[in-house]
Amino acid sequence: MVQRGFADWAANRRSQTDDLVRAIAVTTTFDGERMVLDGVDLAARRGEVLALMGPSGCGKTTMLRHLCGLLQPTLGSVFVCGQDVYALPPARLQELRLRTGLAFQGGALLGGLTVEQNVALPIAENLPQLPADLARQMARNALDMVGMLYAAELMPGSLSGGMRKRAAIARALVLDPEILFLDEPTAGLDPVSAASIDRLVLRLNRTFGMTTIVVTHDVESVRAIADRVAVFFDGRVAAQGARDDVLEPREPVDQRLRDFLERRLPGDAVAPVTSAPTVLP
């Protein structure tokens, strides 16, 4: 009865909005005791870029896994395209997943396949009846969208970090998703490569209108691409709203949020220099 009442309440809250992705009171514990997420409410609007940001271990990647249908939360509901994700039977859940694309943080490219073959993997898995020529063209179109068509025949081991990120995004795009999930797309990249990925993500969003949900700890990346931001601390959303309202708050905010945005350790202060630097021989 309690579960049924919660389901009715969640459905009522969902019906009040046209958000494409919505999490309601999501709570997650691991091993029955370690709480990773605590009552998180979150929404992504159609066509926007939503950034989930926060320090390492704050729960943002776990939240992404819930939103894209990979991990059921302990409590709460996730709605994608108007459907209660974890109430769907397996066949319906798989159909829903085909409307989304996910690029993993490390790229997750298979070293024994060419870049084009890696990008075509979702087609082989989900549309095995598709003619090989059409599948190949779809993979090459996706590579062209991310500026990687020239690398179609290369092996993953010969790619730079930025090229691996682009190939992973191409694979996420190959089935023409309505929603694109990106896990730390600029992590481990030099500033120029990171800025290039930011421009790519923004161009894809503005050109094709797909809702884009990005997990990141990179404040500068969020400034460049996000329409709205949710900042996580200790499994809860500490701030959520329009990018500038979150990154440049006019009202006093949680000191942890200010420290994170300004890249300061808690209690940091700049100490005056009281002596000359040591010169090593």
Side-chain angles (χ1 to χ4, degrees):
M1 181 64 71
V2 173
Q3 288 289 337
R4 184 174 181 181
F6 179 83
D8 292 342
W9 171 76
N12 181 61
R13 287 183 65 180
R14 176 186 57 79
S15 67
Q16 298 173 6
T17 178
D18 60 353
D19 297 321
L20 198 61
V21 178
R22 189 168 186 84
I24 300 174
V26 166
T27 296
T28 301
T29 58
F30 291 152
D31 304 321
E33 53 185 40
R34 183 166 67 91
M35 184 169 289
V36 179
L37 294 170
D38 184 9
V40 173
D41 287 329
L42 193 69
R45 300 167 183 166
R46 187 178 299 276
E48 76 172 359
V49 178
L50 172 67
L52 311 183
M53 66 183 304
S56 298
C58 67
K60 58 187 185 294
T61 295
T62 300
M63 190 73 236
L64 185 75
R65 294 177 68 193
H66 293 325
L67 297 179
C68 63
L70 292 180
L71 178 66
Q72 183 170 1
T74 306
L75 294 171
S77 294
V78 175
F79 291 91
V80 175
C81 300
Q83 301 183 68
D84 188 345
V85 173
Y86 296 102
L88 294 174
R92 292 276 304 281
L93 176 58
Q94 183 60 23
E95 290 176 3
L96 182 60
R97 284 175 177 155
L98 292 178
R99 300 170 69 179
T100 70
L102 169 63
F104 295 96
Q105 178 176 346
L109 303 178
L110 300 183
L113 302 179
T114 67
V115 170
E116 181 183 303
Q117 289 169 335
N118 268 280
V119 172
L121 282 175
I123 305 172
E125 180 180 352
N126 297 287
L127 301 171
Q129 74 283 4
L130 210 64
D133 287 349
L134 180 54
R136 184 168 187 265
Q137 187 58 53
M138 290 172 63
R140 294 179 70 84
N141 287 345
L143 283 168
D144 194 27
M145 289 167 64
V146 303
M148 282 277 290
L149 184 56
Y150 69 92
E153 301 304 322
L154 297 181
M155 304 301 289
S158 67
L159 304 182
S160 67
M163 293 169 72
R164 293 179 69 89
K165 299 281 189 179
R166 286 176 179 265
I169 293 173
R171 185 171 59 191
L173 292 171
V174 74
L175 294 180
D176 192 22
E178 296 176 50
I179 305 166
L180 181 62
F181 296 104
L182 303 175
D183 188 10
E184 298 280 9
T186 61
L189 299 182
D190 65 82
V192 173
S193 297
S196 176
I197 294 295
D198 286 338
R199 288 194 294 271
L200 171 64
V201 171
L202 192 60
R203 177 173 61 80
L204 292 171
N205 173 265
R206 298 305 191 246
T207 302
F208 300 103
M210 65 187 71
T211 299
T212 307
I213 300 177
V214 182
V215 165
T216 184
H217 62 270
D218 186 339
V219 177
E220 292 309 310
S221 179
V222 171
R223 293 185 193 279
I225 68 174
D227 296 303
R228 291 193 311 119
V229 181
V231 185
F232 285 70
F233 281 102
D234 299 329
R236 298 183 178 182
V237 176
Q240 183 174 181
R243 176 196 58 209
D244 293 344
D245 291 341
V246 173
L247 300 186
E248 306 291 343
R250 299 178 183 177
E251 302 295 331
V253 297
D254 187 314
Q255 186 61 42
R256 295 176 306 169
L257 174 60
R258 188 172 297 281
D259 288 340
F260 175 75
L261 295 177
E262 296 178 3
R263 302 183 66 185
R264 296 186 304 187
L265 292 173
D268 254 1
V270 178
V273 177
T274 59
S275 61
T278 300
V279 179
L280 299 176

